[in-house]
Amino acid sequence: MKKYLILVWVGFLLFSCKKESTSGTENKIPREEISSVVSNQVDTVSGFSEAYLPISTTKQIVKHDYYTLSYNENFEQAEWVAYELKAEYVKNNDFKRPYFVQDPSVITGSADWRNYKKSGYDKGHLCPAADMEFDKRAYNDTFFTSNISPQKRDFNSGIWNRIEEKVRYWALRDRDIYVVTGGVLNDLDKKIGTEKVSVPKYFYKIVLSKSGKEYKAIAFLVPNEDSDKSIYDFVVPIESIEKMTGIDFFPNLKNLKSSQSF
């Protein structure tokens, strides 16, 4: 009887420790006009994977639970921040805003928030805190200084905020979208603080939506200035932003083109 019980116990342990493994491949697809149906597969599961990340020109990619960034030490900010935004993420939990803190995952050290003090510029979120209000930790993670960039106050609370609100609307409509955003970084940009944080003259936001095998995208390039114009006045081809930044945004989606018909 004891021998039988021992065999059962060992069998239970072996079963409990068994792990499942999955594997998959990402196929490059031909890029077509945004309203067209993409015929080749990129992945067969719902949602977005790391295959949608842009190329990092700095090789310093930092992954947080709900967003990923590529940090550029020369400009003391991220060259891009990328994240998935699901419909269920769009909530208003009215969390208490935490203090901005340096990102411990940035090996070279992210800029101190004090660089912004008395600079006249907002600590502008790249991944908006409002996009992460479904979870307190996700919300707090948006207050790492690796996720901010100097923005003029009227820009931050005006045209940029209107685009962010539209992005959340698209997440609710399409159930699941992918967002890439950042400033266009240039050596000639104005600098603030003792760490010489660059002030981008332009900010971009690219939104990708997927339904089955069908893709559509829209890209915005907006001056760091107040504007009363429609957000659609700032729609540009993704290729235009790629030329300005040197970043390949969707290397696994060949010939993807953006459009106003999002």
Side-chain angles (χ1 to χ4, degrees):
M1 183 66 177
K2 288 183 178 179
K3 186 175 180 180
Y4 174 78
L5 290 174
I6 291 172
L7 288 173
V8 171
W9 180 72
V10 170
F12 175 76
L13 285 179
L14 289 173
F15 178 79
S16 299
C17 294
K18 184 179 179 182
K19 294 181 178 180
E20 294 182 354
S21 62
T22 58
S23 62
T25 57
E26 298 289 342
N27 300 320
K28 289 189 175 182
I29 66 173
R31 289 187 176 183
E32 300 176 356
E33 290 297 326
I34 208 60
S35 59
S36 300
V37 174
V38 180
S39 59
N40 295 40
Q41 289 184 344
V42 174
D43 61 55
T44 57
V45 296
S46 61
F48 295 91
S49 70
E50 290 186 3
Y52 294 88
L53 287 178
I55 295 297
S56 171
T57 68
T58 65
K59 308 302 181 185
Q60 188 173 187
I61 293 181
V62 176
K63 297 178 182 179
H64 292 293
D65 288 341
Y66 291 98
Y67 70 89
T68 302
L69 63 91
S70 173
Y71 198 78
N72 193 317
E73 179 65 22
N74 291 335
F75 301 99
E76 288 292 5
Q77 62 197 277
E79 63 177 351
W80 54 256
V81 173
Y83 61 99
E84 185 176 13
L85 184 58
K86 298 181 180 181
E88 56 265 34
Y89 291 178
V90 183
K91 295 182 178 180
N92 184 10
N93 280 316
D94 197 26
F95 291 133
K96 181 180 178 181
R97 288 173 65 92
Y99 293 110
F100 284 95
V101 295
Q102 289 178 271
D103 191 338
S105 299
V106 175
I107 296 174
T108 56
S110 64
D112 192 289
W113 68 268
R114 293 175 182 84
N115 289 285
Y116 291 75
K117 195 173 182 179
K118 297 181 180 179
S119 69
Y121 291 92
D122 279 1
K123 296 181 283 289
H125 280 81
L126 296 176
C127 174
D131 287 3
M132 297 289 150
E133 282 197 78
F134 64 95
D135 179 84
K136 184 65 179 296
R137 187 173 65 174
Y139 179 81
N140 288 345
D141 280 355
T142 68
F143 287 83
F144 286 129
T145 57
S146 57
N147 184 47
I148 61 174
S149 182
Q151 295 181 343
K152 291 186 177 180
R153 184 153 300 170
D154 289 341
F155 166 82
N156 187 20
S157 62
I159 181 66
W160 195 243
N161 181 61
R162 286 192 281 130
I163 292 175
E164 290 174 340
E165 289 176 344
K166 193 68 172 181
V167 169
R168 286 189 283 275
Y169 163 78
W170 286 328
L172 291 170
R173 183 195 67 186
D174 295 352
R175 307 304 301 169
D176 194 8
I177 60 176
Y178 196 74
V179 185
V180 184
T181 188
V184 177
L185 306 177
N186 191 295
D187 289 328
L188 299 178
D189 288 340
K190 178 181 177 179
K191 307 293 192 294
I192 61 171
T194 58
E195 293 179 273
K196 300 187 183 303
V197 179
S198 290
V199 181
K201 293 181 180 178
Y202 295 89
F203 284 88
Y204 66 85
K205 194 177 294 289
I206 305 170
V207 184
L208 179 71
S209 180
K210 174 187 175 186
S211 177
K213 299 175 184 178
E214 187 175 337
Y215 286 79
K216 56 183 178 180
I218 191 167
F220 298 93
L221 180 66
V222 192
N224 191 2
E225 301 280 352
D226 184 25
S227 178
D228 293 326
K229 293 182 178 180
S230 164
I231 64 171
Y232 293 101
D233 288 338
F234 300 99
V235 173
V236 298
I238 294 175
E239 291 82 359
S240 296
I241 304 174
E242 289 179 329
K243 289 177 182 178
M244 293 178 71
T245 60
I247 299 169
D248 185 354
F249 288 103
F250 299 106
N252 291 311
L253 301 178
K254 296 187 66 177
N255 299 320
L256 177 67
K257 295 181 180 180
S258 54
S259 168
Q260 286 194 344
S261 58
F262 190 78

